[in-house]
Amino acid sequence: MEERYLTFALGKGRLANKTLELLEQIGITCEEMKDKSSRKLIFVNEELKLKFFLSKGPDVPTYVEYGAADIGVVGKDTIMEENRRVYEVLDLGFGKCRMCVCGPQSAKELLIHHERIRVATKYPLIARDYFYNKKHQTVDIIKLNGSVELGPIVGLSDVIVDIVETGSTLKENGLMVHEEICSLSARMIVNQVSMQMETDRIRSLILQLKELCGKGNEINAYR
Ligand code: PRP
């Protein structure tokens, strides 16, 4: 029987570039993907029977859940927010950052006293889960699509729930981290049916990447 293609969905941008570097180290290359001027959306490695496509990060878990991609690489933040039925199989160890509750100094008291505050975020599900289920604090969540730091600056919200990497965006805008929700990094996710049908190929890929990324990174989210 002819081998079927394994399809990868990669979140556009830094994560995709890092993933391609990693794959190259285990002998998986896709030359045509490196052409930055290309408007092509899907790339094929005929020899290895692999396909790759780039999509918006939040769409990666969707492609993987529906089986349009067998494998995806995306940030843990997106996996948590999208909450799709996929197996999270490997922490790739790059794209490390933290999901935090941030705001001006004055927000500290509001957080300590569990006041009913306004929270601006690109991640309403993560924010809701944190405040309602973990902190047991009733808050009003306001969904934004980017530059969330503006929230407290222009008086839209008291705090934000957002990704902090170097902390410089906060610093430059007079904001600080008040509470840490969780650590984040790039993860590999797999379609649940693909994991059963293509166990050998996918397991071998995971093992090779695991060797590269360091031990102990495999997440036992599947049997
Ligand atoms: C992310 C995040 C913060 C910033 C944190 O934004 O939302 O704004 O990076 O990085 P730092 O701690 O190193 O300053 P991104 O650049 O993804 O754009 P966005 O504002 O559109 O979400």
Side-chain angles (χ1 to χ4, degrees), residues 60-151:
V60 169
T62 312
Y63 286 112
V64 174
E65 178 181 285
Y66 285 94
D70 301 285
I71 295 166
V73 174
V74 72
K76 176 69 179 173
D77 50 314
T78 306
I79 298 174
M80 288 164 71
E81 186 63 29
E82 294 302 312
N83 200 23
R84 294 279 175 182
R85 275 168 302 178
V86 295
Y87 291 136
E88 184 185 321
V89 296
L90 191 66
D91 182 345
L92 292 165
F94 57 82
K96 282 192 177 151
C97 47
R98 301 176 295 152
M99 184 65 75
C100 299
V101 180
C102 315
Q105 169 73 43
S106 57
K108 185 138 215 84
E109 289 294 307
L110 305 173
L111 287 161
I112 291 172
H113 296 113
H114 285 59
E115 301 279 354
R116 181 164 186 155
I117 51 171
R118 285 182 167 185
V119 181
T121 186
K122 262 180 23 178
Y123 303 92
L125 210 71
I126 295 175
R128 180 162 299 280
D129 180 59
Y130 176 71
F131 280 103
Y132 281 78
N133 301 333
K134 303 215 169 70
K135 247 198 116 186
H136 305 294
Q137 177 173 359
T138 303
V139 296
D140 295 314
I141 292 169
I142 304 168
K143 165 94 196 293
L144 287 179
N145 293 296
S147 302
V148 177
E149 288 84 359
L150 273 173

Side-chain angles (χ1 to χ4, degrees), residues 194-211:
S194 306
M195 196 70 222
Q196 316 303 326
M197 306 295 284
E198 294 287 340
T199 310
D200 293 345
R201 283 174 88 192
I202 296 175
R203 270 205 164 270
S204 143
L205 183 71
I206 294 171
L207 283 175
Q208 289 179 73
L209 288 172
K210 208 172 140 188
E211 284 291 313

